[in-house]
Amino acid sequence: MLIRRFNEDDMRAFEVLVTKYQRRVASLINWSVHNNSVTEELTQETFLSAYHALGSFRFESAFSTWLYAIARNIARSYHRDGHQLADNGVPLDILADDAEEHWSGVSCRTYAPSPEEDLSNVQLVKAIKQSIDSMSPQMRTSITMREIEQFSYTEIAEHLGIPLNTVRSLIFRARATIALDIRPLLDRVISAR
């Protein structure tokens, strides 16, 4: 409905789309480029590209699928142009809607993580990222689409052009790989308490 309103020259409809998807697009891009300022720039570029191409959107897939494909292509172009990964990225996916639900029961006034907890969280995120980076491209794409971009299994299967059971298997194996890779880090954290 928002896309149709945009195509009828309602610019506020596009603003609503940006508001709805901006954090997820930024999270997806940051996962790839690891640099907050570059993430911001490429997120803007993604929405600018979407703005120009939205008139040709054919409703053959979900808008989010189409938008995330644009974001992935822009991130790939960034790397293809010779840009390197930075080490100063902050995982923006912790700002996603489900993270708000997770922390809604925790009072900010009564809980502040210790420096050790902050360090453990940073190390955990880095270990998860390294684990995902070491996976096959198809497995890496599947787990990223599922856990970061919140695609359904069916949408992933359609996007990758593979059977649904293959997607389930890839995601199961990816989760098992991550769990195995981060286990030593979790054991250290548990034993330190």
Side-chain angles (χ1 to χ4, degrees):
M1 184 169 86
L2 289 170
I3 297 167
R4 287 190 175 94
R5 283 178 39 201
F6 171 79
N7 288 334
E8 294 168 0
D9 293 328
D10 182 355
M11 293 303 128
R12 288 182 356 145
F14 190 76
E15 290 173 19
V16 171
L17 291 170
V18 170
T19 301
K20 182 174 182 178
Y21 292 102
Q22 188 170 16
R23 285 193 298 180
R24 289 184 180 165
V25 168
S27 177
L28 169 67
I29 292 171
N30 195 49
W31 194 259
S32 175
V33 301
H34 301 249
N35 184 306
N36 296 335
S37 60
V38 171
T39 294
E40 198 173 305
E41 198 175 302
L42 297 183
T43 299
Q44 289 176 1
E45 188 177 332
T46 298
F47 282 103
L48 185 61
S49 295
Y51 179 85
H52 290 299
L54 199 52
S56 63
F57 183 73
R58 295 181 300 211
F59 299 93
E60 294 174 354
S61 64
F63 172 76
S64 58
T65 305
W66 179 78
L67 182 63
Y68 297 150
I70 292 172
R72 275 193 300 278
N73 288 337
I74 286 174
R76 281 188 199 118
S77 294
Y78 173 80
H79 291 300
R80 193 173 42 246
D81 292 343
H83 300 286
Q84 299 298 315
L85 296 176
D87 292 329
N88 63 345
V90 173
L92 299 177
D93 52 328
I94 62 172
L95 302 175
D97 297 334
D98 55 346
E100 290 173 16
E101 291 171 18
H102 172 75
W103 290 104
S104 63
V106 178
S107 169
C108 292
R109 290 185 210 130
T110 61
Y111 176 77
S114 69
E116 293 82 12
E117 288 172 315
D118 280 340
L119 179 60
S120 294
N121 289 338
V122 168
Q123 289 173 336
L124 183 60
V125 168
K126 187 174 182 179
I128 292 169
K129 174 69 175 112
Q130 287 173 342
S131 180
I132 291 172
D133 286 347
S134 70
M135 295 175 185
S136 70
Q138 198 172 49
M139 188 182 295
R140 182 174 51 245
T141 300
S142 297
I143 194 70
T144 302
M145 289 180 75
R146 179 69 188 144
E147 299 299 335
I148 306 297
E149 301 170 32
Q150 305 293 309
F151 279 91
S152 71
Y153 286 82
T154 305
E155 289 172 323
I156 297 168
E158 289 171 5
H159 180 77
L160 296 178
I162 58 177
L164 184 59
N165 285 337
T166 303
V167 170
R168 287 187 176 119
S169 174
L170 286 167
I171 291 172
F172 176 82
R173 290 188 356 242
R175 287 176 177 156
T177 300
I178 292 168
L180 190 63
D181 289 347
I182 67 171
R183 184 72 189 178
L185 183 60
L186 293 177
D187 288 342
R188 269 198 327 251
V189 170
I190 291 168
S191 66
R193 290 183 179 170

